Amino acid sequence: MAADESTPLIRNATPKVKPASQTIFGPGNRILLAGFMMAFTLGITQVPILYVFRLMECDVFYSHNPPFEGPGDRCSRQEINAGTAMQFSILGMSTSFSAVLNLFVSGYFIKLWGPRWAFVSQTSLLGLRVSTQILGVTIGGRVGILVFQVCQSIGVVGGPRGYQLVLNTAVSEIVAPKDRTAVFGRLQGSIMMGTAFGFLLGGVLGDVYGIRRPSSVYGALFLPEKPAENAEENKRAVRGIDAFFAPIKVIVPHKYRLENGGVIKNYGMIFLALGIFLSVFASGYAPILLQMYASSEFGFGTTANGWLMSGNSLIRGLFLIFMFPKIITSGRIWYNGTSSPHEANVPGQEHHIPTNPEDFDTAAGEDVPQEPITSPEIEEEDTGTEFDLFFVRWSMVVDSIVTFFAGFSNQGWQVYLAAFLLPFASGSAPAVKGVLTEMCPPRQRVDALSAITMVESSAMLTTQGIFGLIFAAFAERGQPRLTFFCNAACALLGVVTLFLATFPPLNSKRIDEDEETESLILAQERSTQQNGSSA
């Protein structure tokens, strides 16, 4: 067709506006809603569990001591506070130990079935575990506590860490690389928001099992399926026992080939994993510590602790959903010394006029990105994650400072202030996920996310055991506040370790095991051929 004055100079210069249903109900938003729903149902149980543990430990104490006489709270004794801390720590350790094993199981399910049905399996089995908790509360006393502790083993096949791994894996597959860290943060924020509202309704245990089932149905109907090409590749990958231990192989040191042909070994993943372990080890006990400290020192009950933890989770959720993505976007621009996110990702790129709908950007932080325009296998990887590592380091510095000053709290409102300030040091977990998915090849993202979640779970297992004992020891001496100072010291150690975590050299190429093996075989064949020709 001949051109005239009405012919546009640039075809497709104006992008087609997507229907609202494709934006509001897109895969990214459906994943965020799934995280909110599951965290909401789980959050309902957290505050009541701490409270009923205190009541059951109180009953156990008076079963072999004289009955309480006089005014005040019969359970307000140092022996009961120490016993509650001990039992709650054992519960946390068993939960975290089950979560570590659950990551291997859920990772296997993801490769075998895809995110949708893996999510259904995790949520359904969580419902079974919560029903056993209701049974433990009904029985009460030492037997009730024992029921709680033993039935946490159900978490090996279905637990909170498993469903979070499923959702993070779904995000890594449908979201464009440059937006991955921000959406990891939004997902974590959605989980925190769900936890906050769950804490507000934490007095009714009986309703949990009724709410759990709709979460499983939602996942079966609305979570996005794994892309077909990745599904076939992962089904081949699950053959053999090595599939269970693939996450461990991700964080070991890897070799990289430099531009000049030299080969080096990079220990960035090791130090990153160790730094996150120490960071979670230091700060992971903080929410429980705030509740235990407020209960023992200021007489906080289930309602006050519910508001305390709800406010903490709500602020954390709002920070991760609204502020964290903007910090990541603006921080990458500042850190790379560029004026736009695209220049940060592609240094030296010339400005050009957009000619296709996918070339137009939405405002940063205003929309949850959905499927990438191109296949994740061929799309350019994100190169702005150096700031993400910078953010992880300094957020832990802020966390250690806030935790240190929380130890000087001598009034109830100061505990609320600490719970208000701590969320602003969050964001390290989603930022680390962004860093790790950049450090590893796309085909290993499921294993990489499993690895970092496994590190976090192992740290939670350790901190709930060790710091639970520390708090119990300090509580018996009437100085539970000293636990905060121990937390802060460990956080600083984590910061030092994170500064040792570095990216591989620029323009270097990772040498995978299969590639290295193939190179050795080729070298041996050449050597054999040369020896044969010389003979």
Side-chain angles (χ1 to χ4, degrees), residues 98 101-102 105-106 109 118 121-122 125-126 128 153-159:
S98 299
L101 299 179
N102 176 235
V105 176
S106 58
F109 287 166
S121 70
Q122 297 304 297
L125 291 165
L126 270 170
L128 177 62
S153 59
I154 298 175
V156 172
V157 288

Side-chain angles (χ1 to χ4, degrees), residues 212-457:
R212 184 81 54 191
R213 286 171 293 181
S215 299
S216 302
V217 174
Y218 171 86
L221 295 178
F222 299 113
L223 276 188
E225 282 281 14
K226 179 184 286 292
E229 63 274 12
N230 292 340
E232 291 301 321
E233 180 180 345
N234 283 319
K235 282 184 179 180
R236 292 193 298 267
V238 298
R239 298 173 184 172
I241 194 65
D242 288 345
F244 273 108
F245 301 102
I248 300 176
K249 297 180 180 179
V250 173
I251 58 177
V252 300
H254 291 282
K255 294 181 179 179
Y256 289 83
R257 180 172 287 109
L258 304 177
E259 286 186 295
N260 59 8
V263 176
I264 65 166
K265 183 173 286 189
N266 181 266
Y267 296 86
M269 287 191 180
I270 286 286
F271 285 117
L272 180 65
L274 182 58
I276 291 303
F277 179 90
L278 292 172
S279 300
V280 175
F281 174 75
S283 60
Y285 193 71
I288 300 175
L289 178 58
L290 286 173
Q291 294 182 73
M292 299 293 295
Y293 183 71
S295 298
S296 62
E297 294 296 302
F298 309 118
F300 278 29
T302 181
T303 301
N305 268 329
W307 281 105
L308 177 69
M309 289 295 96
S310 173
N312 178 271
S313 298
L314 181 62
I315 296 169
R316 190 184 300 266
L318 292 173
F319 171 79
L320 290 172
I321 291 174
F322 297 106
M323 295 181 63
F324 177 75
K326 294 181 182 294
I327 291 174
I328 291 296
T329 301
S330 301
R332 288 179 176 183
I333 296 172
W334 163 78
Y335 193 85
N336 290 278
T338 55
S339 59
S340 72
H342 289 291
E343 293 179 19
N345 288 331
V346 187
Q349 185 181 31
E350 298 293 333
H351 292 286
H352 67 282
I353 300 175
T355 58
N356 294 295
E358 58 266 26
D359 294 332
F360 291 82
D361 293 330
T362 57
E366 298 297 328
D367 186 25
V368 176
Q370 309 298 334
E371 301 95 336
I373 299 301
T374 59
S375 170
E377 300 298 329
I378 63 175
E379 184 176 8
E380 180 180 359
E381 287 298 302
D382 189 7
T383 56
T385 47
E386 289 86 355
F387 172 77
D388 299 4
L389 184 56
F390 174 87
F391 177 84
V392 171
R393 293 164 176 165
W394 288 101
S395 65
M396 287 310 305
V397 172
V398 175
D399 185 275
S400 63
I401 293 173
V402 175
T403 304
F404 176 79
F405 283 104
F408 295 99
S409 301
N410 52 25
Q411 296 183 37
W413 68 267
Q414 294 171 345
V415 176
Y416 279 106
L417 179 62
F420 174 82
L421 293 176
L422 280 173
F424 292 98
S426 61
S428 57
V432 165
K433 291 181 176 69
V435 172
L436 198 62
T437 52
E438 169 64 17
M439 280 186 170
C440 68
R443 61 185 174 80
Q444 291 185 341
R445 285 200 189 112
V446 175
D447 296 327
L449 292 172
S450 296
I452 202 64
T453 310
M454 180 179 65
V455 170
E456 294 173 353
S457 299

Side-chain angles (χ1 to χ4, degrees), residues 29 45 57 124 186 197 228-229 245 257 261 354 358 413 424 469 493 504 509 523:
N29 289 327
T45 68
E57 190 66 27
S124 301
R186 283 179 173 149
F197 287 108
E229 63 274 12
F245 301 102
R257 180 172 287 109
E358 58 266 26
W413 68 267
F424 292 98
L469 294 174
L493 182 59
K509 182 181 179 182

Side-chain angles (χ1 to χ4, degrees), residues 83 200 290 415 451 464 529:
L200 287 177
L290 286 173
V415 176
Q464 288 172 348
Q529 291 175 357

